[in-house]
Amino acid sequence: MRKLIIFLLVALSVPATAQKREFRGAWIQCVNGQFQGMSKSEMQSTLTYQLDELCKDGVNAIIFQVRAECDALYESQLEPWSRFLTGVQGQAPAPYWDPLAWMVEQCHKRGMEIHAWINPYRAKTKFTNELASNHIAVRKPGNVFSYDGLYILNPGIPENSSYICKVAQDIVRRYDIDGFHIDDYFYPYPVAGEQIPDSKEYALYKSIAKNNAMSVGDWRRENVNMFIKELHEAIQSIKPWVKFGVSPFGIYRNKRNDPNGSNTNGLQNYDDLYADVLKWVDKGWIDYCVPQIYWEMGNKAADYTTLINWWNRNVTKRPLFIGEDIERTAKYTDPQNPAQNQLPAKMRLHKQSRNVSGTVLWYAKAAVDNTGNYGQMLRNVYWKYPALQPRMTFIESKAPKKVRKMKIMNISGDQVLCWTKPGGKGWKKEAVKYVVYRFNPGEPINLDDEKHILGITYNNFFKLNSRGVYVVTALDRMSNEGTGVKVNY
């Protein structure tokens, strides 16, 4: 108890690291079975509570897992309903509902973005014993290989890349998502004694391409490279504003394998998973990068400080967000201050890292459960004030017009600030969200100060609780912000 009190006193004395633009995400996964066996009302109640708590914590983006093993937590004509939803793969929920459609509505209701998260290549997890008749591994068994109890869509078969892109386009076309997200499973994580069974496809490639010089490693990396490029283009062809993000394993390469690698000693994206993440960033094939730096400061094989500094130096052409493990952060003490856990030190590193513009929490429930007081520290200190999403000017940079006809109305005894959507046709000009600021009478209007943000909303109204000077700005799909309109109350 004494250590907890000391930690709270020290942490609360740390200046808030809030900033006006910051990606504050949280992963909500299904593959851990947290929803399995729940009724519709139970799952909606659970998710409602999680979203409400995360909103209080300052989270502004939810990354929701909708495809764990070539299945679906949404209505799909291409893949079967997930057993992680209903308990039986291919069995529709009863009473019927669509979790992704519901989550889009609920996230937007709270001013949050929602990113649909799929696992691209994994076709079966270890503990799935029965596949539905319309599952890809049943329909086309030659398109998958078995590895350590998993089924993997073979990246060496071009048809598989096209298939995954078709699934992605179906999601992007039918749901009003803000982002599309894939995680760290490309080629399978290596297991001692197991070989990836793709020699036939490799030999076929060499025969057709007449390229005997390309090693199997380079060939596998190129398979994944072309998939990432194809997926990015597939998403953009449907909705150019949907951000494509990747969350790779936390080590790109170790220094012993590459002079540009990090001073670490662990599994590597490039060599072991055949994921050349830096190439994707440099080529502009992804819109944001979220390395999973789940280790603690002082870890002998993969020190957190070493890794965040490495990613900060090397990811400069696309927004960089850091994947944070809440439980490890709360469990380990700060090497420089044993009286507290590592959250304050890690937050300072984020603030000091020029290219870091956000955080994604692994995982949402740990924040909701306030593990190690993590959630309370976010809402009271680090993410106390709302934040806009980082700009992505490489997608679109022009801001929408001003809101119109702003006034305060008495609605059922409440004072409500109302406005009309600004003009502008097409996704590049249309306003979709609004920022509401409050200032004291006579106080300078400074829209760069995040402490004046009351909320970010998809609605064109906002309930007022106190007198003051209010300013409303419009945001487009890419969070470009228009000129403010002021009203006194």
Side-chain angles (χ1 to χ4, degrees), residues 234-470:
I235 293 166
Q236 285 191 319
S237 72
I238 304 297
K239 292 177 180 174
W241 63 85
V242 172
K243 309 166 208 178
F244 173 41
V246 177
S247 176
F249 182 72
I251 299 173
Y252 175 69
R253 297 193 86 186
N254 298 309
K255 190 178 284 291
R256 70 172 187 272
N257 297 104
D258 182 347
N260 186 47
S262 53
N263 190 20
T264 50
N265 182 26
L267 183 134
Q268 305 163 101
N269 275 293
Y270 185 92
D271 303 82
D272 301 311
L273 303 178
Y274 307 100
D276 191 353
V277 183
L278 292 191
K279 184 170 186 175
W280 310 341
V281 169
D282 292 341
K283 292 286 188 180
W285 294 342
I286 63 177
D287 298 321
Y288 66 86
C289 181
V290 192
Q292 299 171 17
I293 310 181
Y294 289 168
W295 301 275
E296 70 278 7
M297 294 173 167
N299 185 288
K300 291 181 180 179
D303 173 62
Y304 180 93
T305 304
T306 298
L307 283 166
I308 192 173
N309 287 336
W310 187 91
W311 286 99
N312 179 60
R313 287 194 306 272
N314 286 278
V315 175
T316 59
K317 294 184 178 179
R318 285 295 182 265
L320 173 64
F321 315 141
I322 303 301
E324 291 282 359
D325 185 298
I326 291 175
E327 292 182 350
R328 282 201 187 198
T329 300
K331 175 183 176 181
Y332 290 96
T333 58
D334 181 351
Q336 305 302 317
N337 189 348
Q340 61 184 358
N341 69 28
Q342 295 192 355
L343 177 60
K346 285 185 175 183
M347 283 296 187
R348 282 194 298 272
L349 269 177
H350 281 227
K351 190 72 172 176
Q352 294 163 5
S353 301
R354 179 180 178 184
N355 293 314
V356 172
S357 53
T359 304
V360 182
L361 307 175
W362 179 257
Y363 51 100
K365 188 175 183 300
V368 171
D369 292 344
N370 196 31
T371 300
N373 211 44
Y374 199 105
Q376 285 293 325
M377 291 303 297
L378 290 180
R379 72 177 65 181
N380 294 329
V381 182
Y382 300 108
W383 293 354
K384 183 176 181 179
Y385 304 102
L388 282 65
Q389 297 294 339
R391 296 183 72 201
M392 295 189 180
T393 55
F394 52 88
I395 297 178
E396 174 56 30
S397 61
K398 191 173 181 180
K401 295 179 180 179
K402 296 187 291 187
V403 301
R404 300 176 293 170
K405 302 177 182 179
M406 193 161 82
K407 58 185 176 181
I408 296 170
M409 300 177 65
N410 187 307
I411 301 177
S412 301
D414 292 324
Q415 300 303 305
V416 181
L417 182 61
C418 303
W419 58 88
T420 300
K421 182 177 180 177
K425 293 184 178 180
W427 73 270
K428 292 185 177 183
K429 296 181 180 180
E430 182 185 14
V432 295
K433 287 189 288 190
Y434 305 92
V435 188
V436 180
Y437 300 83
R438 181 195 174 280
F439 299 86
N440 291 322
E443 187 176 13
I445 303 297
N446 177 11
L447 301 188
D448 292 325
D449 186 348
E450 72 282 346
K451 291 189 291 295
H452 291 283
I453 299 176
L454 285 184
I456 299 166
T457 178
Y458 284 79
N459 300 319
N460 62 344
F461 58 86
F462 195 88
K463 182 180 174 182
L464 304 181
N465 293 317
S466 61
R467 293 193 174 273
V469 179
Y470 290 87

